[in-house]
Amino acid sequence: MTAALDLQKALVACLLADADLVALVADRIHDGAPRGLAFPSVTLGASGQADWSSGDEAGGDIRLDLHVWSRAIGKREAWTIIGHLMRLLHDAERGLAGHALVLIRVIYAEVRLDSDGITEHGVVRVAALVED
């Protein structure tokens, strides 16, 4: 299993354990958007892992996007959910199976009207450094 997948699993567990976030999205945190997606929800998007090894330490630089979907009028609901994601993930101290999380940061967030004209689409980009 790659460090990126281990990080994804740890982050989803962290999100589902937060009562404030669950009050907003229930258990609608998905690895990919299911058919008939209920709103609001959070889905995992693009992820990637690059080498971050140095000297004797093997490591990875991981990027992960989380998508927020809202049908509420305006951007308030989407930004509220993004605020919770940022609070939970920025500088989080998470254990990873087989890896050490060195650093995790939210490096970008935005909300825009989706191409369907009725769905607010938020993106939160997370960057993490891990060592094996």
Side-chain angles (χ1 to χ4, degrees), residues 68-81:
V68 173
W69 306 96
S70 170
R71 287 271 172 91
I73 296 172
K75 296 180 174 15
R76 177 183 297 273
E77 182 176 63
W79 273 117
T80 299
I81 295 166

Side-chain angles (χ1 to χ4, degrees), residues 54-120:
S54 61
D56 296 332
E57 297 291 330
D61 177 2
I62 301 169
R63 305 297 164 113
L64 173 65
D65 290 348
L66 293 101
H67 296 269
V68 173
W69 306 96
S70 170
R71 287 271 172 91
I73 296 172
K75 296 180 174 15
R76 177 183 297 273
E77 182 176 63
W79 273 117
T80 299
I81 295 166
I82 286 173
H84 286 283
L85 296 176
M86 293 172 75
R87 174 182 56 81
L88 292 167
L89 301 177
H90 192 80
D91 286 334
E93 295 182 14
R94 292 277 139 213
L96 300 178
H99 308 281
L101 180 60
V102 176
L103 175 74
I104 186 166
R105 296 276 168 91
V106 173
I107 59 171
Y108 177 78
E110 77 169 1
V111 175
R112 63 178 164 233
L113 188 62
D114 199 51
S115 60
D116 67 5
I118 58 173
T119 305
E120 293 294 342

Side-chain angles (χ1 to χ4, degrees), residues 12-24 26 84 87-88:
V12 169
C14 169
L15 299 179
L16 289 171
D18 185 76
D20 293 333
L21 182 62
V22 169
L24 293 168
H84 286 283
R87 174 182 56 81
L88 292 167

